[in-house]
Amino acid sequence: MPNKKRILLAEDEEHLLEAIKLNLELEGYKVSTANNGKKALQIFKEERFNLVILDVMMPEIDGFVVAETIRLENSEVPIMFLTAKNTNEDKISGLKKGADDYLTKPFNLEELILRVNNLVKRSLKGDDLKEFNSYHIGDKTIHFNSFELINEDGSITALTKKETMLLKLLIERRNEAVSREQILETVWNYDVYPSTRTIDNFILTFRKYFEPDPKNPIYFHSIRGVGYKFTDTH
C-alpha cells in the first residue's frame, strides 16, 4: 500500500490494542494508538487520519463523546466503533454520534480488516458528508471549515473556533435541547469548565448574528434548567 494510510486506534484493553495494531500494520497501515478518550482527541488534533477506530467504554472520555467531538471539527473522516455493547439501541446511538460502522466484541480479525479497508477506500473518495461544510440560517451562511459567517450583504464575520463548534453542535442537534454537560464534553473537551454565563454569552452572540429581533429569538433558545436549543426547519 503506497503512501501508508493512517489509522487512529483508541482501545483501553492493552492486549487487544496491540493485536489490532499488529494486524493493521501487516496490512500496510500506519497506526497511532491511544488507551483513553482524552489522549485519542489530542492525537487526532495533531495528525491527519484516513480512519478512526474507537472503543466505546474508555477512561477519561468515552468513545461516543470522542466521536461527537471529532464530528464537530471533521465531518469526513470515517469512524468505526468497537464495543461489547451489542443491542440495537447501542448501535443506533453509535451511528447517531457520527459513526460509519459498528463492530461488536468479540470479533473476527479478518472481518475487521475487511471493514477497515472499505472505510479507508471511502475516505479516499472523499464522498462523506461534504454537504455539511456550510449551513444557511435565514439569509446568512456559516462556513464551518473557514470559520466564517457570510452576511446577506456579502460581508464576512469571522467566527472563533469555539463559536463554530458550538454552532455545529446545536445545528446537528437542531430542534432538540442540548444540555450544558453535552456542550462541555464536546466543545470544551473537559479542559475548561465555563460557567453557564459563558455559554449564555455565546447564545447572545448568536442571536446578534442571526436573529431578526435578538430580544425575541426564533432560532437560538435558552431552556431553563435544561440547556440550549437551535430551532430551524431545514
Side-chain angles (χ1 to χ4, degrees):
M1 188 175 289
N3 299 323
K4 285 191 176 182
K5 306 304 179 287
R6 304 174 66 87
I7 295 175
L8 171 58
L9 170 62
E11 166 63 60
D12 67 332
E13 293 180 46
E14 186 176 346
H15 294 302
L16 186 56
L17 179 76
E18 291 302 320
I20 296 172
K21 180 174 186 285
L22 175 61
N23 279 272
L24 291 174
E25 287 175 342
L26 288 172
E27 289 292 311
Y29 292 108
K30 185 176 188 336
V31 183
S32 299
T33 60
N35 58 10
N36 65 66
K38 191 168 186 177
K39 185 177 178 184
L41 282 174
Q42 289 170 346
I43 294 172
F44 183 81
K45 290 176 180 178
E46 293 167 1
E47 303 177 40
R48 191 171 181 85
F49 294 98
N50 300 100
L51 173 65
V52 178
I53 303 174
L54 299 172
D55 181 25
V56 173
M57 304 299 290
M58 287 190 292
E60 301 282 349
I61 305 175
D62 73 43
F64 285 158
V65 173
V66 172
E68 278 197 306
T69 305
I70 287 173
R71 278 289 173 254
L72 291 177
E73 298 189 42
N74 187 317
S75 63
E76 296 174 29
V77 64
I79 297 174
M80 176 194 286
F81 281 127
L82 299 179
T83 178
K85 304 176 86 174
N86 60 3
T87 68
N88 285 334
E89 289 79 8
D90 290 322
K91 291 179 182 178
I92 290 168
S93 178
L95 294 170
K96 281 184 175 178
K97 303 295 184 187
D100 299 273
D101 204 352
Y102 192 109
L103 191 58
T104 55
K105 301 175 183 177
F107 52 81
N108 180 289
L109 274 171
E110 188 175 355
E111 181 183 2
L112 172 67
I113 297 298
L114 286 171
R115 292 188 183 213
V116 165
N117 290 342
N118 287 336
L119 288 171
V120 170
K121 283 178 188 173
R122 278 180 52 192
S123 81
L124 298 177
K125 289 177 184 174
D127 59 0
D128 234 359
L129 296 178
K130 286 194 173 176
E131 71 275 8
F132 200 58
N133 288 340
S134 64
Y135 192 87
H136 299 283
I137 299 178
D139 296 325
K140 302 187 178 186
T141 305
I142 306 161
H143 289 283
F144 295 106
N145 290 343
S146 59
F147 307 132
E148 290 177 335
L149 171 64
I150 311 300
N151 299 299
E152 58 267 36
D153 62 359
S155 62
I156 296 173
T157 301
L159 300 171
T160 68
K161 187 173 183 181
K162 285 285 190 287
E163 284 176 339
T164 307
M165 291 176 72
L166 181 53
L167 277 170
K168 194 165 192 184
L169 174 63
L170 292 172
I171 290 167
E172 285 181 340
R173 300 276 298 275
R174 55 188 172 275
N175 304 320
E176 294 178 31
V178 183
S179 71
R180 179 172 175 269
E181 289 71 26
Q182 185 78 49
I183 291 170
L184 284 170
E185 290 174 356
T186 53
V187 178
W188 271 267
N189 293 342
Y190 293 103
D191 294 334
V192 179
Y193 281 87
S195 67
T196 299
R197 188 68 197 154
T198 303
I199 303 176
D200 282 341
N201 286 338
F202 274 79
I203 299 299
L204 289 172
T205 299
F206 295 162
R207 287 174 182 163
K208 289 176 186 174
Y209 288 160
F210 299 104
E211 302 284 2
D213 179 2
K215 291 184 179 178
N216 295 288
I218 57 175
Y219 297 120
F220 293 93
H221 310 276
S222 298
I223 303 173
R224 186 179 296 276
V226 179
Y228 308 86
K229 182 170 76 170
F230 168 70
T231 302
D232 202 359
T233 56
H234 270 62

